[in-house]
Amino acid sequence: MSDSVSPGNLGWELLSSEELHSTPYFRLRSDRLRLPDGAVKDPYYVLERPDAAIILAVTPDNEAVLVRQYRPPLRSEELGPPAGLVEAGEDPEKAARRELREETGHGGGEWEPLGAVASSPSLKDNWAYLYLARGVEPVGEEDPDEFERLVVETAPVRELEAMISRGEIVSSSGVAAIMLGLARMRGGPGEP
Amino acid sequence: MSDSVSPGNLGWELLSSEELHSTPYFRLRSDRLRLPDGAVKDPYYVLERPDAAIILAVTPDNEAVLVRQYRPPLRSEELGPPAGLVEAGEDPEKAARRELREETGHGGGEWEPLGAVASSPSLKDNWAYLYLARGVEPVGEEDPDEFERLVVETAPVRELEAMISRGEIVSSSGVAAIMLGLARMRGGPGEP
């Protein structure tokens, strides 16, 4: 892999790149970078990871559909919006609809994008595409992945901000999805 | 490392753990996990990384103090709230005040915590501690880290939500900090 200086680089030049570890879930590489002032940063670690889709899904009764699951890195359970990986080349909204269906058994409703956030810009290259889905309803059984053990819960939309403040919803991208979705529902400047 | 079943585990048992890569910035390990129903997940990758502090810093003129920098993983520049790593055993607010000072030359003001978010609960173990600092002022020169090349910018607080919606501020934890800080400034349910 090589990369010359281009406008997108802002003068940072990728001199070389070495793969350290590759798995089905991510690829870890070590870059050698030349800064615009000539300084050389080596190593700069980058974790390449698939993009994700996250959904603030709201029922006609103004209940948010959430999932609770154990998170080994945190050694605790986590409650948050349904989310999942976007497959290579897949439309993120299609992935979002599939993950909502598989994780919660919900579908339908009116969908709108809330933008995308970068998960960890200093280390990871992946993006989370955020959606607001209003009026979703149960459409069938859940169909989780092999090692997913999910419990579906609902919470009143008006309670979500307080739940975040109390530390009951903690994922940074999930919090971003909820707060941007609430702003959109208020009809604030989030409107396109 | 070993870990028996405990309430915090929700019945997930850590059978073994192997270090794959260790750097000053993170440690990558591969876990073998037994789920409550007996299924075994191997490998489950966990990236151990220091916690961070992120600050929505607002001047007496209601301008947010932001930093713009090149992000190699995204191959683009990123505008967002000042942020930095919390050293082992350090009080996160102390780290936040230091990073605000070093990255932007600002200090003082009235500080309050906005809670903590988990950066990537499916892969990483780290937390970002979020702060709102109202009334910050220039107190001296910036003092960035060796390879930091930061440009300090300000933006009216009332514009932040629209900037996020336009994709001008993209970090998931930074977006969470701003949205929770704006909610706190509105005096919403974020009040403790």
Side-chain angles (χ1 to χ4, degrees), chain A residues 3 37 75 118 120 149 170, chain B residues 3 37 75 118 124 149 170:
Chain A
D3 215 352
D37 53 18
R75 294 178 188 266
S120 305
R149 301 291 184 273
V170 298
Chain B
D3 215 351
D37 53 18
R75 294 177 188 267
K124 290 162 60 189
R149 301 292 183 273
V170 299

Side-chain angles (χ1 to χ4, degrees), chain A residues 1-3 8-10 12 14 20-26 28-29 31 33 35-37 39-47 49 69-78 114-127 146-149 158 161-162 164-165 167 169-173 175-176 179-180 183-184 186 188-191, chain B residues 1-3 8-10 12 14 20-26 28-29 31 33 35-37 39-47 49 69-78 114-127 146-149 158 161-162 164-165 167 169-173 175-176 179-180 183-184 186 188-191:
Chain A
M1 192 185 305
S2 76
D3 215 352
N9 285 342
L10 300 182
W12 287 60
L14 179 60
L20 298 179
H21 209 86
S22 184
T23 81
Y25 310 100
F26 61 83
L28 176 64
R29 66 173 210 255
D31 287 355
L33 298 168
L35 280 60
D37 53 18
V40 171
K41 170 73 171 156
D42 182 12
Y44 189 105
Y45 296 101
V46 176
L47 198 85
R49 192 160 158 81
Q69 60 193 304
Y70 182 69
R71 292 298 200 181
L74 304 182
R75 294 178 188 266
S76 69
E77 61 179 23
E78 185 227 339
L114 295 168
V117 291
S119 173
S120 305
S122 65
L123 174 67
K124 290 161 61 189
D125 71 341
N126 60 320
W127 293 81
E146 181 181 1
F147 292 105
E148 281 182 334
R149 301 291 184 273
R158 66 176 182 280
E161 202 171 298
I164 293 169
S165 291
I169 296 173
V170 298
S171 150
S172 60
S173 298
V175 167
M179 296 299 290
L180 294 174
R184 180 70 59 90
R186 284 195 305 269
E191 282 297 331
Chain B
M1 190 185 310
S2 74
D3 215 351
N9 285 342
L10 300 184
W12 287 61
L14 179 59
L20 298 179
H21 208 86
S22 184
T23 82
Y25 311 101
F26 60 83
L28 176 63
R29 68 173 208 257
D31 287 354
L33 298 168
L35 280 60
D37 53 18
V40 170
K41 170 73 172 157
D42 183 12
Y44 190 106
Y45 296 101
V46 176
L47 198 85
R49 191 161 159 79
Q69 61 193 304
Y70 181 69
R71 293 298 199 181
L74 303 181
R75 294 177 188 267
S76 69
E77 61 179 22
E78 185 226 339
L114 295 168
V117 292
S119 173
S120 305
S122 66
L123 174 67
K124 290 162 60 189
D125 70 341
N126 60 319
W127 293 81
E146 181 181 1
F147 293 105
E148 282 183 334
R149 301 292 183 273
R158 67 176 182 281
E161 201 171 300
I164 293 169
S165 291
I169 296 173
V170 299
S171 149
S172 60
S173 298
V175 167
M179 295 300 289
L180 293 174
R184 180 70 59 89
R186 283 195 306 267
E191 282 297 331

